[in-house]
Amino acid sequence: MVHRNPDIAKLAGSYLFPEIHRRKLAFLQANPTAKLISLGIGDTSLPIPPASIQGFVEASQQLGDAATYTGYGAEKGHAILRERIAHKLFNGLVNADEVYVSDGAKCDLGRLQILFGRGVTIALQDPAYPVYVDSAVLGGITGGYSRTIAGYEGIRYLPCTPNNGFFPTLTDSSKADLLYFCSPNNPTGAVATREQLKSLVAYAKKHRSIIVFDSAYAPYIQDKTLPRSIYEIEGAREVAIEIGSFSKLAGFTGVRLGWTVIPQELTFDDGSSVKTDWDRVTTTIFNGASNIAQAGGAALLTDEGLAQVAEMINYYNSNARILKEAVLKAGWEAFGGDHAPYLWVRIPQMTSWQAFEWLLNDKHLLTTPGVGFGPSGEGFIRMSALGKRSDVLEAEFRIQNSE
Ligand code: PGU
């Protein structure tokens, strides 16, 4: 008999979103005629911009012609796409050679466990995208530790609440090898200021930590003075990896395309290059993102494509505004939603799961319970603004008619 992997056994029963899906199906089985509106998983609803569709079509046609057919590609991604990510999304703050094209941010978050191995400690914002903790546990970095009510021992949870403006209080005791940071944040919708990111970089330098900066929602930042990338902060190239995605940028959630940036300057404590090891990991267990997806991504990162992206982002940001106003009018508390497609909502006198169940059963609105993102999420629910406008307007009506 084969022993079950003890690291898997340590994980909570199921990943958050399949659990929500299970409850949704149970609700629909019991209420087959209900018109359920999903403000739950952060999945996009608008069609992919035409520029990318043209890129997909042309790449598909090339694959069907012996003269232009290509097979395996460069593991790090097409040169043109890497160039455009470096120049159009990072304004030249990173070099194309430091950009690694992936099949999505989540997949690279998982592969990072192989890069860093079991011996590292991690700290993260609490609440946070559950993949940071779950992939770390899967990767075995909790060692002999086990799960407690408040989370995993051995993983440092840095509370982010309305009291600290959703930016963690960084003390010497919260130091860890890896510091996961997501801005604009999933789930709170909070966006870090330049000053806050400066303090984060200074902290990482002081403690010789590596920041894993997740900027999956950077395109939603409306205020041009707010930083979209950690590399806008001086010195960040020596301490940070940045992970990004086409999912929320252009509706590629099903197509699958993202990137990871590993700067040349980033080293381990023995002076060896992190980038060299990432080369080794990706060339060994990743054969590159789909060439069709990459062609669609490259076509998006043109003036024409980016204008189409801006329209899409405006639409989702307007959804967030509509939802936020409705929530405030209902007398609930609402955070986020200004530079992120998520609202972080607190309904008086309810725990996260009570609010989730009440909205599901009484309002037929599917949300995500905040406590699923970490202990400090208790009392909150997350609402996604990535749905269709007609659904958002119906949700607005149902929320405003709440007793
Ligand atoms: N990073 C953050 C912060 C995310 O919120 C998500 C998706 C990803 C990465 C994944 O990006 P991909 O490039 O598509 O892999 N978060 C969604 C979807 C749930 C999930 O498990 O991925 C959400 O609802 O939180």
Side-chain angles (χ1 to χ4, degrees):
M1 291 286 277
V2 177
H3 278 307
R4 184 174 183 215
N5 177 348
D7 295 321
I8 294 190
K10 276 190 219 153
L11 279 177
S14 68
Y15 180 61
L16 177 62
F17 293 103
E19 172 61 22
I20 305 298
H21 187 64
R22 196 187 62 70
R23 292 193 186 219
K24 170 181 154 180
L25 294 183
F27 170 83
L28 287 175
Q29 202 166 22
N31 306 274
T33 56
K35 186 177 177 307
L36 185 64
I37 288 178
S38 177
L39 308 172
I41 187 164
D43 201 357
T44 41
S45 56
L46 287 179
I48 290 175
S52 285
I53 300 299
Q54 199 179 337
F56 297 148
V57 169
E58 283 168 13
S60 307
Q61 281 164 346
Q62 283 167 12
L63 292 177
D65 183 339
T68 49
Y69 170 80
T70 52
Y72 288 127
E75 292 94 344
K76 296 182 194 172
H78 292 174
I80 177 132
L81 177 57
R82 300 171 78 201
E83 282 289 338
R84 287 185 186 169
I85 291 173
H87 290 103
K88 297 276 185 184
L89 297 180
F90 285 91
N91 261 326
L93 286 170
V94 306
N95 304 318
D97 178 53
E98 298 167 328
V99 176
Y100 293 76
V101 176
S102 71
D103 51 350
K106 190 178 195 174
C107 316
D108 264 0
L109 284 163
R111 285 188 282 263
L112 279 185
Q113 301 306 322
I114 296 173
L115 176 72
F116 291 108
R118 303 175 68 102
V120 291
T121 52
I122 71 167
L124 72 157
Q125 291 155 295
D126 167 28
Y129 180 41
V131 169
Y132 310 145
V133 166
D134 286 9
S135 65
V137 175
L138 275 178
I141 73 169
T142 51
Y145 295 118
S146 58
R147 192 162 200 277
T148 68
I149 299 280
Y152 291 92
E153 291 176 52
I155 294 181
R156 317 228 191 318
Y157 294 79
L158 311 177
C160 293
T161 65
N163 295 341
N164 59 13
F166 298 103
F167 187 79
T169 311
L170 299 165
T171 63
D172 285 351
S173 62
S174 46
K175 76 173 178 154
D177 297 319
L178 300 183
L179 195 50
Y180 283 84
F181 198 90
C182 177
S183 177
N185 189 262
N186 173 17
T188 65
V191 57
T193 63
R194 197 167 297 274
E195 286 309 311
Q196 287 172 332
L197 289 190
K198 273 187 191 167
S199 74
L200 189 74
V201 167
Y203 180 83
K205 282 203 164 167
K206 177 175 174 203
H207 295 292
R208 299 168 161 263
S209 314
I210 291 180
I211 300 167
V212 177
F213 191 78
D214 186 336
S215 59
Y217 300 98
Y220 291 80
I221 295 179
Q222 298 295 294
D223 178 345
K224 292 220 164 19
T225 65
L226 290 166
R228 289 172 172 238
S229 163
I230 190 78
Y231 302 120
E232 290 180 35
I233 308 302
E234 206 186 317
R237 291 176 53 87
E238 288 134 51
V239 291
I241 286 172
E242 184 164 323
I243 294 189
S245 173
F246 280 82
S247 285
K248 312 297 155 69
L249 175 70
F252 276 44
T253 46
V255 173
R256 312 302 306 142
L257 192 68
W259 65 86
T260 291
V261 174
I262 313 242
Q264 302 278 3
E265 291 91 327
L266 193 67
T267 56
F268 292 108
D269 58 3
D270 65 356
S272 65
S273 155
V274 174
K275 187 172 179 301
T276 303
D277 282 7
W278 187 243
D279 277 339
R280 187 70 171 91
V281 171
T282 51
T283 51
T284 306
I285 59 163
F286 183 54
N287 254 341
S290 148
N291 41 20
I292 298 173
Q294 292 192 68
L300 189 84
L301 301 183
T302 54
D303 291 346
E304 185 200 359
L306 288 170
Q308 295 164 3
V309 164
E311 254 177 65
M312 183 179 227
I313 303 281
N314 266 338
Y315 176 98
Y316 291 134
N317 276 337
S318 302
N319 277 354
R321 250 194 316 279
I322 293 168
L323 283 173
K324 191 165 182 175
E325 272 171 29
V327 164
L328 292 173
K329 274 193 196 152
W332 308 340
E333 281 181 278
F335 302 91
D338 301 324
H339 306 283
Y342 295 124
L343 292 190
W344 194 232
V345 174
R346 192 154 53 178
I347 305 181
Q349 318 293 338
M350 287 198 201
T351 65
S352 290
W353 280 109
Q354 282 167 346
F356 171 87
E357 289 294 344
W358 177 67
L359 288 169
L360 179 61
N361 292 306
D362 280 43
K363 303 282 161 208
H364 300 176
L365 295 176
L366 188 72
T367 57
T368 310
V371 72
F373 297 94
S376 296
E378 181 54 285
F380 290 88
I381 46 159
R382 188 192 77 174
M383 291 183 180
S384 163
L386 293 166
K388 292 195 177 74
R389 178 64 49 81
S390 54
D391 281 353
V392 166
L393 291 173
E394 174 61 26
E396 175 194 33
F397 177 79
R398 293 185 196 174
I399 292 168
Q400 282 182 352
N401 289 283
S402 295
E403 298 292 291

